[in-house]
Amino acid sequence: LSATEKLVKKATPFRPIVVGWNDVKVRPFQEKDIEPLLDYFYRSSRDLPAIQAMDFDKFPKESEYRQKMFDLLKDPSSLPTVTVDHLGRPIGVHLLNDVRADQAEFHAHFWSVDARGKGIGPISWYKACQYFFDLFPSLQTLFFKAPKFNLYSSRVAKKLPLKYLGEEELVSPILKPGIKADVYSLTRAEFEALHSEDESDLDEVE
């Protein structure tokens, strides 16, 4: 196994990985991804862990959010987003929020329920990080904020090669008050070190 495949296996130690590295791809967000994303936000069960923190009384109207997504297609830099495909089927997105000069917050939303729990997240995490670091040469640090009540995201974050920074209360116009999260970071240098480990693995094979 390469270094990146090893970290994925480490991130999912309690179940067999049922997807291959090449089964999961990330690509730029497209128009065909808008409706599944809207269904996820506006028609998912409100007890879904990934959206429990959201205050839907303050959430924009669906028509407004749809227009925001069409605007995103015209200007992808306004909300950098990649779609996660599993075996050619779109299952969710990774996106960057609060993009500043050299840092941003990394988020994930998987709308396909049957795609969860298969080891897809750690693979798409790695490939999305690669995409965003390549897209923004000035980007130096990614932050990951895992709500404590979301056991899946918390468990995965603890297993990935991230630096734990501490706890904070999430603040956003569309979030409920009092949401506590564990905060992690990944620098460009730390991510590039994973590539170096991969290259070392290849040298050993050769």
Side-chain angles (χ1 to χ4, degrees):
L1 295 176
S2 71
T4 48
E5 289 171 314
K6 288 175 183 176
L7 78 86
V8 169
K9 186 173 182 181
K10 181 181 177 183
T12 55
F14 303 116
R15 60 180 179 274
I17 296 178
V18 296
V19 296
W21 188 260
N22 294 325
D23 294 339
V24 181
K25 302 184 184 303
V26 300
R27 57 169 174 77
F29 188 80
Q30 299 174 2
E31 182 175 344
K32 66 180 180 179
D33 305 317
I34 293 177
E35 292 306 318
L37 184 59
L38 292 174
D39 285 341
Y40 166 79
F41 281 126
Y42 291 94
R43 281 169 283 284
S44 292
S45 170
R46 290 293 180 258
D47 60 2
L48 188 69
I51 61 175
Q52 280 185 9
M54 295 179 181
D55 186 340
F56 284 94
D57 290 334
K58 300 177 182 178
F59 216 68
K61 294 180 180 178
E62 183 173 352
S63 59
E64 294 173 349
Y65 201 92
R66 179 180 285 104
Q67 184 58 53
K68 180 180 179 180
M69 293 298 98
F70 276 106
D71 292 342
L72 169 64
L73 297 176
K74 299 175 184 177
D75 180 16
S77 64
S78 64
L79 185 68
T81 304
V82 293
T83 300
V84 180
D85 283 344
H86 174 229
L87 298 176
R89 181 172 66 99
I91 62 168
V93 295
H94 291 302
L95 57 90
L96 297 185
N97 257 340
D98 198 20
V99 181
R100 304 180 186 181
D102 62 351
Q103 63 186 50
E105 290 184 19
F106 185 107
H107 294 263
H109 296 288
F110 280 17
W111 57 67
S112 180
V113 176
D114 63 354
R116 300 180 190 127
K118 295 182 178 179
I120 294 174
I123 299 175
S124 64
W125 166 86
Y126 181 91
K127 294 186 175 184
C129 287
Q130 178 72 74
Y131 181 94
F132 290 135
F133 278 127
D134 289 346
L135 183 64
F136 297 106
S138 63
L139 182 63
Q140 296 300 317
T141 306
L142 290 174
F143 293 100
F144 306 80
K145 300 182 179 181
K148 288 182 172 293
F149 67 80
N150 189 334
L151 298 181
Y152 173 75
S153 63
S154 295
R155 184 170 64 243
V156 172
K158 290 175 182 177
K159 297 296 183 179
L160 292 173
L162 305 173
K163 180 181 179 181
Y164 179 65
L165 301 179
E167 177 187 298
E168 74 173 50
E169 183 173 324
L170 300 180
V171 179
S172 169
I174 62 171
L175 292 182
K176 298 173 183 176
I179 301 296
K180 302 288 187 178
D182 290 316
V183 182
Y184 302 84
S185 69
L186 176 75
T187 66
R188 178 182 291 271
E190 290 165 345
F191 185 75
E192 290 175 349
L194 294 175
H195 283 294
S196 298
E197 292 179 35
D198 277 342
E199 291 170 0
S200 297
D201 287 345
L202 290 175
D203 290 340
E204 291 176 7
V205 172
E206 294 173 352

